[in-house]
Amino acid sequence: MSVTTGDLHIATTTADDTDTRLDRWLRRRVPGLIQAHLEKLLRNGRIRVDDRIAKANTRLQPEQAVSWPADLATAVAPPPKPKISAGPNAAAEREVARLQALVLYRDADVLVLNKPAGLAVQGGTGTSRHLDAMLDALKFEASERPRLVHRLDKDTSGVLILARSVFAAAKLAEAFRSKTCRKTYCALTAGVPNPFQGRIDLALSRRPDAAHGARITADEKDGQSAVTLYQVLDHAGKRAALVAMWPLTGRTHQLRVHMAELGTPILGDDRYGITRDPEVSPVGGGLSKRLHLHAFRLEIPHPRSRKLIDVQAPFPPDLVASCRWLGFQIPNEVIFPE
């Protein structure tokens, strides 16, 4: 039995639910609910069992009342799948379906995508296919196309947030400028950062580069301030590491350059990926050729309600394959180092 009372949805467990973990039980009832978001709600006391604070691994018993925010199902509901025809527009419709399948979160003000590696966010020299030109496919029920409020490099996968109105765009852009949002990245590096946890405070400048047009370099004298926190999550001897990173500033290629300056460049980085350790092989075996950098999580105030949007992008299959080849466990959640 389940009922909605005010802003809460309450369901009563049955004998069939005996000894089921709370997180698994709830994810079956709220399709699309991300584990990181679920755990955030639990920590904030917004999901309760018999009106008591609970944990993700709480084991349920019959006749318990589980409550959660009534709007949760709407917030995480996946977008409706468009109908795909076999007519002359079938290719365009398949492209729309692929794009809409990237949506991780959607409400009246915000869209969050899990951008694949290889898809440019905006156009440029030699870039004809990019997200900015495809935003009409993400209008859904809205009358206007969504707006970009930040960007990821073409070769970086993961969380990308879009605004669905001028109002939302202004508020989200303000959150990025004022640093009231928190971005968590995960990367595989050639070699292992030493120490395992630290802060990189290294100014960066843009320099002309014949091969790439521009190159970001360390420049303590004239560069712009750039600060990154990092933590090694796992490592395979000296060969490679799984590293979480939190950029406290938003400079171009900041994470790639900071990791390279530590002597542990991100795997697959053809611009900055020269390792200084002869014992480290940056590419080989079962590793994907892609840049192994993923925007794993974004926490940002909602532009209207100011409640925290906390969205996590699952690792894409090629990154999962690289992690498994190196023996790394895929993280369910990465905690910001306080």
Side-chain angles (χ1 to χ4, degrees), residues 20-23 25-26 38-60 64-67:
T20 301
R21 280 176 57 113
L22 174 60
D23 54 354
W25 183 90
L26 191 57
L38 185 155
E39 301 220 16
K40 175 76 77 172
L41 292 170
L42 285 165
R43 288 196 299 271
N44 293 339
R46 302 190 65 206
I47 297 175
R48 291 174 171 261
V49 176
D50 288 338
D51 204 29
R52 291 193 296 268
I53 292 176
K55 295 182 178 181
N57 62 358
T58 295
R59 299 285 177 171
L60 296 174
Q64 288 186 305
V66 182
S67 61

Side-chain angles (χ1 to χ4, degrees), residues 122-128 154:
Q122 292 178 300
T125 304
T127 304
S128 58
K154 176 182 177 180

Side-chain angles (χ1 to χ4, degrees), residues 8 10 31 36 51 95 117 125 136 178 204 219 256-257 293 295 302 316:
L8 284 180
I10 303 172
D51 204 29
E95 181 73 9
T125 304
D136 282 335
S178 63
L204 303 175
D219 186 349
R256 296 166 67 180
V257 177
L293 179 61
H302 191 279

Side-chain angles (χ1 to χ4, degrees), residues 169-316:
K171 292 295 185 181
L172 292 172
E174 179 185 340
F176 279 101
R177 284 194 305 270
S178 63
K179 300 180 177 60
T180 54
C181 64
R182 180 180 291 170
K183 296 174 283 185
T184 303
Y185 288 77
C186 289
L188 298 183
T189 62
V192 183
N194 184 23
F196 278 9
Q197 181 173 326
R199 174 188 174 100
I200 306 169
D201 193 340
L202 182 63
L204 303 175
S205 285
R206 181 187 294 267
R207 304 293 188 202
D209 181 85
H212 301 98
R215 183 180 178 88
I216 308 302
T217 61
D219 186 349
E220 292 281 34
K221 181 180 178 182
D222 299 318
Q224 293 182 300
S225 172
V227 180
T228 302
L229 304 181
Y230 74 90
Q231 180 176 331
V232 174
L233 303 177
D234 203 348
H235 65 97
K238 290 185 176 181
R239 294 174 55 211
L242 174 60
V243 182
M245 294 173 285
W246 297 270
L248 304 187
T249 52
R251 309 301 177 202
T252 301
H253 296 175
Q254 174 178 319
L255 300 178
R256 296 166 67 180
V257 177
H258 275 176
M259 284 294 105
E261 287 294 323
L262 282 184
T264 54
I266 295 173
L267 288 171
D269 192 338
D270 60 0
R271 190 176 303 196
Y272 307 103
I274 300 175
T275 177
R276 300 170 188 164
D277 188 340
E279 295 184 22
V280 171
S281 175
V283 178
L287 292 178
S288 165
K289 302 295 184 184
R290 63 160 287 179
L291 175 71
H292 287 71
L293 179 61
H294 181 66
F296 182 60
R297 184 177 180 183
L298 177 67
E299 301 164 83
I300 191 169
H302 191 279
R304 198 173 301 274
S305 70
R306 310 309 295 168
K307 293 180 180 178
L308 191 68
I309 298 174
D310 184 351
V311 182
Q312 185 171 297
F315 278 28

Side-chain angles (χ1 to χ4, degrees), residues 84 150 169:
I84 306 300
H150 76 124

Side-chain angles (χ1 to χ4, degrees), residues 87-121:
N89 294 323
E93 292 179 1
R94 285 194 293 270
E95 181 73 9
V96 169
R98 283 193 292 268
L99 194 60
Q100 292 185 352
L102 301 177
V103 174
L104 296 170
Y105 174 94
R106 174 167 65 105
D107 65 26
D109 296 293
V110 172
L111 274 174
V112 182
L113 306 182
N114 186 2
K115 186 191 86 66
L119 176 61
V121 174

